[in-house]
């Protein structure tokens, strides 16, 4: 049986390896950031070398503002000034309960003035542990799968499939197939393949026939679909794809857009590029009310740290990422926004993950951070331009408190049991 001291030394040595220059003939050009990614993508990687802010905050007294003394097992924190534990005056947990009308738990009146704990890194990264109730989490999870995968939003599936031919969204049709309301003989049980020669008019006619959302008139919907089709056509088309059973499509779902549509191939937002040339700021696309309320509350909560006032904040674009076991998001920088002063807000549900936060160069070793269901990250200041990524979804970390939320919850639970949903939102202008 390995002693605690031996285990601690082993974790310390593994963590130090992330900060050492790479000297491996097989990966001679490998950067420290890439070395960290490779470590966490291994089947038997060492999660003990990760910094777990939730555990750290729960083990510390936050009566006063505290400076984190890096533990021996986190030597990479020695390379920069230590993060600080602070208490934010804004009660984010209470605000979320107000926003979602959550009356499932009795909240003592004296908790309305309770402060929000946070961990602030020198780079401008801010961590807030889960402030959502289980009921709030379940509601947001349902909206992400059921509502945000419909028009006017577009998903990764739109590259190869005509996902919006039916009145019902992908998730709605998946539920009908599970309940037996749809069978394998029904047309709506399948998503047809997009023909390489499909033009703009095909999707526009389909969308008008099935009535666009009320907040967008027909001309706006035509423009939205024309922009999306341009992005779709610029993406390589695989000739081996065929029509897809809707339940199989759900398993292939990886992201959906919110607000301004982001062209992954060109790495730019539609309307924004045109506006930079014309000098005319575009009209913001419709944005989900639930996500906007969350982001505004978070921005107001961290205002004393970021200095960015909530009254100036406009959530204009977002991505909902649907990670499955084995998925990852490689190191990247956010460069497409015009406004880097406004904070980026990110929150997640489901299984835990390893999040890597680096600097403006991959040559610096990143800090590996464990993020759990409901945790919130705010990127502000210097870290807005830092490399970051998600190399690993940690298996079998689905929270027990999300196990039972009624009969209609079962399909959502089964999806999320092997997945993680991340919502990240930014202001473009």
């Amino acid at each position: 049986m390995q002693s605690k001291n031996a285990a601690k030394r082993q974790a310390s040595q593994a963590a130090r390896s992330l900060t050492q220059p790479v000297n491996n003939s097989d990966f001679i050009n490998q950067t420290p950031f890439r070395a960290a990614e490779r470590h966490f993508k291994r089947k038997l990687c060492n999660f003990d070398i990760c910094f777990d802010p939730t555990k750290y905050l729960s083990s510390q007294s936050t009566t006063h503002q505290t400076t984190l003394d890096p533990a021996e097992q986190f030597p990479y924190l020695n390379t920069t000034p230590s993060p600080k534990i602070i208490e934010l005056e804004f009660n984010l947990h209470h605000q979320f309960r107000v926003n979602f009308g959550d009356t499932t738990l009795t909240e003592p009146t004296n908790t309305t003035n309770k402060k929000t704990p946070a961990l602030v890194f020198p780079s401008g990264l801010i961590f807030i542990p889960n402030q959502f109730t289980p009921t709030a989490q379940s509601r947001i999870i349902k909206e992400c799968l059921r509502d945000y995968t419909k028009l006017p939003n577009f998903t990764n599936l739109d590259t190869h499939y005509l996902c919006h031919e039916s009145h019902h969204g992908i998730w709605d049709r998946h539920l009908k197939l599970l309940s037996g309301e749809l069978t394998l003989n029904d047309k709506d049980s399948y998503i047809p393949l997009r023909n390489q020669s499909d033009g703009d008019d095909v999707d526009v006619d389909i969308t008008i026939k099935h009535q666009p959302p009320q907040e967008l008139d027909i001309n706006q919907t035509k423009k939205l679909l024309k922009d999306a089709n341009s992005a779709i056509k610029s993406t390589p088309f695989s000739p081996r794809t065929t029509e897809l059973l809707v339940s199989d499509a759900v398993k292939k779902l990886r992201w959906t857009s919110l607000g301004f549509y982001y062209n992954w191939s060109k790495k730019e937002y539609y309307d924004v590029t045109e506006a930079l040339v014309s000098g005319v700021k575009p009209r913001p696309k419709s944005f989900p009310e639930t996500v906007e309320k969350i982001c505004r509350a978070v921005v107001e909560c961290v205002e004393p740290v970021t200095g960015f006032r909530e009254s100036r904040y406009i959530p204009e674009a977002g991505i909902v990422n649907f990670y499955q076991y084995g998925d990852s998001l490689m190191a990247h920088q956010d460069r497409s926004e015009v406004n880097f002063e406004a904070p980026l807000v990110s929150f997640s549900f489901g299984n835990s993950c390893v999040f890597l936060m680096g600097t403006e160069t991959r040559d610096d070793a990143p800090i590996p951070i464990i993020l759990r269901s409901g945790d919130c990250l705010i990127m502000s200041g210097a870290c807005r331009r830092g490399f970051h990524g998600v190399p690993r979804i940690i298996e079998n970390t689905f929270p027990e408190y999300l196990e039972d939320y009624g009969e209609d919850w079962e399909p959502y639970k089964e999806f999320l049991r092997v997945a993680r949903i991340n919502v990240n939102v930014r202001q473009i202008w």
Side-chain angles (χ1 to χ4, degrees):
M1 189 75 176
Q2 191 179 39
S3 68
K4 290 185 178 179
N5 287 336
K8 190 175 182 180
R9 284 195 301 272
Q10 184 179 13
S12 179
Q13 291 170 359
R16 286 193 179 91
S17 69
L18 295 182
T19 65
Q20 299 302 315
V22 176
N23 184 19
N24 188 318
S25 58
D26 292 332
F27 307 102
I28 193 168
N29 294 320
Q30 182 170 272
T31 64
F33 203 114
R34 180 59 181 146
E37 289 176 322
R38 290 182 60 82
H39 173 81
F40 290 110
K41 287 176 73 68
R42 295 173 190 156
K43 185 175 182 179
L44 298 177
C45 69
N46 185 0
F47 294 116
D48 291 337
I49 68 176
C50 294
F51 178 59
D52 191 331
T54 299
K55 281 187 177 180
Y56 185 82
L57 284 170
S58 64
S59 67
Q60 302 295 313
S61 170
T62 56
T63 305
H64 303 288
Q65 190 174 39
T66 308
T67 298
L68 174 64
D69 181 17
E72 182 182 347
Q73 63 266 40
F74 305 131
Y76 44 77
L77 291 179
N78 286 316
T79 62
T80 60
S82 302
K84 292 181 179 179
I85 295 177
I86 65 171
E87 285 185 328
L88 298 164
E89 296 293 334
F90 189 96
N91 187 341
L92 195 59
H93 176 77
H94 175 73
Q95 186 60 49
F96 284 165
R97 290 193 61 175
V98 171
N99 287 347
F100 294 105
D102 190 351
T103 58
T104 57
L105 299 172
T106 302
E107 184 177 41
T109 55
N110 62 353
T111 62
T112 57
N113 296 322
K114 186 179 178 181
K115 298 178 181 180
T116 302
L119 190 63
V120 181
F121 291 78
S123 64
L125 183 70
I126 306 169
F127 169 85
I128 297 178
N130 177 29
Q131 300 296 307
F132 296 94
T133 64
T135 300
Q137 287 198 35
S138 64
R139 172 178 162 181
I140 302 164
I141 290 165
K142 287 181 177 180
E143 289 189 14
C144 287
L145 288 165
R146 181 190 62 215
D147 302 332
Y148 303 160
T149 53
K150 298 178 181 177
L151 285 174
N153 307 320
F154 288 88
T155 75
N156 62 293
L157 297 174
D158 287 291
T159 299
H160 290 120
Y161 300 97
L162 295 170
C163 299
H164 308 294
E165 278 202 319
S166 170
H167 288 279
H168 306 289
I170 297 172
W171 185 261
D172 290 336
R173 292 153 68 185
H174 169 61
L175 295 183
K176 289 178 182 292
L177 190 59
L178 290 178
S179 67
E181 190 173 340
L182 284 177
T183 70
L184 295 179
N185 295 323
D186 292 318
K187 181 181 178 182
D188 268 2
S189 296
Y190 298 89
I191 300 178
L193 183 66
R194 175 185 291 276
N195 191 304
Q196 291 188 56
S197 61
D198 283 343
D200 298 338
D201 293 339
V202 176
D203 283 341
V204 172
D205 289 343
I206 289 171
T207 307
I208 293 172
K209 181 172 64 179
H210 292 130
Q211 299 186 10
Q214 293 183 357
E215 62 266 33
L216 297 176
D217 61 29
I218 289 178
N219 290 331
Q220 291 168 333
T221 304
K222 284 182 178 180
K223 177 64 166 60
L224 184 66
L225 288 165
K226 182 178 179 181
D227 288 346
N229 271 307
S230 297
I232 289 167
K233 288 178 179 179
S234 67
T235 305
F237 188 93
S238 173
R240 290 183 288 184
T241 51
T242 59
E243 72 174 3
L244 201 59
L245 185 68
V246 68
S247 292
D248 291 334
V250 166
K251 296 176 184 177
K252 292 178 179 290
L253 191 63
R254 289 300 180 268
W255 56 261
T256 187
S257 62
L258 303 177
F260 283 111
Y261 182 77
Y262 187 72
N263 183 341
W264 290 88
S265 298
K266 296 182 179 179
K267 294 187 177 359
E268 64 184 21
Y269 294 97
Y270 275 103
D271 290 343
V272 174
T273 304
E274 180 182 337
L276 287 173
V277 176
S278 66
V280 178
K281 182 177 179 180
R283 167 187 173 273
K285 296 289 190 294
S286 59
F287 207 85
E289 181 182 2
T290 297
V291 176
E292 180 167 354
K293 283 183 176 180
I294 293 171
C295 291
R296 287 193 175 279
V298 170
V299 170
E300 184 176 355
C301 181
V302 299
E303 190 176 302
V305 180
T306 65
F308 191 89
R309 298 189 65 83
E310 182 273 333
S311 57
R312 296 173 54 201
Y313 179 71
I314 305 174
E316 293 175 317
I319 297 289
V320 180
N321 291 306
F322 302 99
Y323 295 96
Q324 303 285 334
Y325 283 174
D327 289 346
S328 60
L329 180 65
M330 302 306 286
H332 66 283
Q333 290 174 297
D334 296 328
R335 298 177 176 177
S336 302
E337 294 79 38
V338 178
N339 186 334
F340 279 91
E341 184 185 0
L344 182 152
V345 178
S346 173
F347 49 93
S348 306
F349 307 106
N351 284 269
S352 303
C353 80
V354 177
F355 175 80
L356 298 179
M357 187 69 240
T359 66
E360 292 188 44
T361 172
R362 290 186 178 93
D363 293 328
D364 292 331
I367 298 177
I369 302 172
I370 297 289
L371 297 180
R372 291 181 168 81
S373 188
D375 289 347
C376 184
L377 274 185
I378 302 93
M379 297 177 68
S380 66
C383 78
R384 280 290 277 116
R385 297 182 184 274
F387 279 95
H388 54 281
V390 179
R392 183 68 170 264
I393 307 303
I394 305 176
E395 297 84 351
N396 303 314
T397 53
F398 181 74
E400 291 185 6
Y401 59 78
L402 288 178
E403 283 289 343
D404 186 12
Y405 271 87
E407 293 182 3
D408 68 332
W409 176 243
E410 190 65 25
Y412 297 92
K413 181 181 71 175
E414 288 307 307
F415 176 89
L416 209 56
R417 192 183 293 279
V418 293
R420 174 178 179 264
I421 296 178
N422 167 258
V423 183
N424 60 85
V425 179
R426 69 273 332 264
Q427 180 172 336
I428 303 174
W429 294 91

